[in-house]
Amino acid sequence: MARFESEESRDAFLEVPRLGILITNRAEGTPIGVPVWFDWSDGVVSMFADKESTKLARLRRDPRASLLVTNVVGEPEAWVAFDGEISIDEHAGVELANKLAPRYWDLEDEERRRVLDSWLQAPEAFCLLTLAPTRIRSGN
């Protein structure tokens, strides 16, 4: 049973800062999930990754993936999953990281600010991951 009565209520759920669990496939076919920051807008999920990350290596080999977003503790149980293939843009990841950082981090924290500044100094180290879902599932 879906928790969301409309796309608007689902989108409101997704506007709250939440981690997504990006589920990709290992070479032998078993799934593995890792937490990621994400942006849902205009029917597309956007994420970013370090070009040296193992999740990116898995996606280069097999672009099929799911992103699972869930409630936080204390909220009514709910989830949204996006299924499809991920496209990789080698040049746009740091822009998304910069956009999402204030959503996920308190940038008044000097350590967080230093990390973000280091990312901005090395934009070539990040890529943009885009998932235009072929299927969106939700439930509670």
Side-chain angles (χ1 to χ4, degrees):
M1 170 184 219
R3 171 179 182 235
F4 308 105
E5 297 178 8
S6 66
E7 287 184 11
E8 291 79 16
S9 65
R10 179 200 62 207
D11 291 351
F13 174 83
L14 294 168
E15 285 176 12
V16 173
R18 304 172 188 284
L19 291 175
I21 304 300
L22 179 62
I23 303 163
T24 57
N25 298 303
R26 292 182 175 109
E28 74 277 1
T30 59
I32 182 170
V34 294
V36 294
W37 293 356
F38 72 94
D39 181 58
W40 166 247
S41 58
D42 300 322
V44 173
V45 180
S46 300
M47 300 157 280
F48 66 95
D50 184 309
K51 289 183 180 176
E52 302 299 318
S53 67
T54 54
K55 72 177 163 251
L56 188 59
R58 288 190 301 272
L59 287 167
R60 288 187 196 285
R61 185 184 30 71
D62 182 352
R64 295 173 300 159
S66 290
L67 180 74
L68 175 64
V69 181
T70 68
N71 61 291
V72 296
V73 174
E75 282 184 319
E77 292 183 9
W79 56 271
V80 178
F82 302 94
D83 303 327
E85 291 191 0
I86 292 189
S87 301
I88 301 168
D89 179 335
E90 298 290 337
H91 306 290
V94 78
E95 289 87 355
L96 182 64
N98 192 40
K99 174 185 172 184
L100 293 179
R103 179 179 182 183
Y104 287 94
W105 283 349
D106 172 5
L107 293 178
E108 297 296 317
D109 180 303
E110 288 183 32
E111 180 59 29
R112 297 292 192 197
R113 184 80 232 178
R114 266 195 302 276
V115 171
L116 178 59
D117 288 343
S118 72
W119 292 353
L120 296 173
Q121 295 300 313
E124 69 284 350
F126 298 92
C127 59
L128 179 67
L129 307 177
T130 304
L131 192 159
T134 55
R135 184 172 176 208
I136 300 174
R137 301 173 286 124
S138 65
N140 58 2

